[in-house]
Amino acid sequence: MSSAPSRSRAVARLTSAALVRTVLDEVSPGDVVIIDGRSGAGKSTLARELQRQWDGAQPPQLVALDELYPGWDGLAAGAEYAVARVLAPRRTGAPARWQQWDWAADRYGQDRALKGDESVILEGSGALTAAAAAFATVRIWLDAPSDVRKRRALDRDGDTYRPHWERWAAQEQDHIARNDPRRLATHVVELV
């Protein structure tokens, strides 16, 4: 487990497959990978592919911040909840326990848990903060041109997301200004 963020590497233009190979060469059982970036940058796709290709008997637990944000104004709160409930218990090897956000009911709902020694992929906008970085071996900041990101996000979530795009983008910008996730990343990648 990493104890301090390192300087980010140069921006790389990689295919998703090349990034997956790079990351898999750097991880060991029990490690944490954090994937951050603005909406539509490819975080969820990358996380699922890393999980699918991860070596070992037990694939990593995938924790998406979409399950932790307390609603459309909860980017920062969801990121803090992830540190407190998912990452921090690992410091002592304790199991992580949290509740998944129920978007339809607008409240926390289903309980989730993972063992303290399981590998974790934490992905979502706002995931990479100094507090979270202290737990992660690999920290990725994904980027893509804004028109590409918006098209991807709205193609994926359509009318559900469309009315919230601007206020969510403002929260992402606030996260970037406060936390500078690009600086905390071990990999800064614009997916092609």
Side-chain angles (χ1 to χ4, degrees):
M1 188 177 333
S2 176
S3 61
S6 64
R7 298 304 274 157
S8 63
R9 298 179 183 179
V11 174
R13 289 180 168 265
L14 296 173
T15 64
S16 182
L19 180 55
V20 167
R21 284 191 304 276
T22 298
V23 170
L24 292 176
D25 286 344
E26 297 177 8
V27 294
S28 301
D31 283 351
V32 173
V33 174
I34 295 176
I35 304 170
D36 196 352
R38 294 176 192 244
S39 190
K43 300 175 301 298
S44 298
T45 301
L46 175 62
R48 285 190 302 271
E49 191 59 23
L50 274 172
Q51 184 184 41
R52 189 182 72 73
Q53 291 190 39
W54 196 282
D55 287 334
Q58 175 101 19
Q61 184 77 251
L62 177 56
V63 179
L65 282 184
D66 287 351
E67 299 175 1
L68 305 178
Y69 302 127
W72 286 108
D73 295 309
L75 186 141
E80 290 169 7
Y81 188 74
V83 171
R85 302 295 294 273
V86 178
L87 300 178
R90 298 172 54 81
R91 184 175 283 139
T92 61
R97 297 185 194 292
W98 69 96
Q99 288 182 288
Q100 185 171 326
W101 184 256
D102 182 333
W103 288 84
D106 199 33
R107 64 178 170 77
Y108 283 106
Q110 179 181 350
D111 290 329
R112 299 253 336 254
L114 64 91
K115 297 176 189 167
D117 61 349
E118 283 186 78
S119 298
V120 175
I121 299 171
L122 176 66
E123 70 87 5
S125 296
L128 188 50
T129 64
F135 296 98
T137 304
V138 175
R139 301 172 303 276
I140 301 167
W141 173 256
L142 288 183
D143 210 347
S146 60
D147 59 326
V148 171
R149 289 186 301 94
K150 187 172 185 176
R151 180 179 38 79
R152 284 181 188 166
L154 295 180
D155 284 352
R156 177 191 65 215
D157 298 325
D159 289 336
T160 301
Y161 192 2
R162 192 173 317 280
H164 306 287
W165 175 262
E166 293 300 325
R167 82 184 205 202
W168 192 258
Q171 290 175 81
E172 290 174 337
Q173 187 57 43
D174 182 60
H175 161 62
I176 292 166
R178 282 185 302 107
N179 297 299
D180 196 3
R182 186 181 188 97
R183 182 187 57 79
L184 296 170
T186 56
H187 301 277
V188 177
V189 178
E190 184 167 320
L191 292 178
V192 292

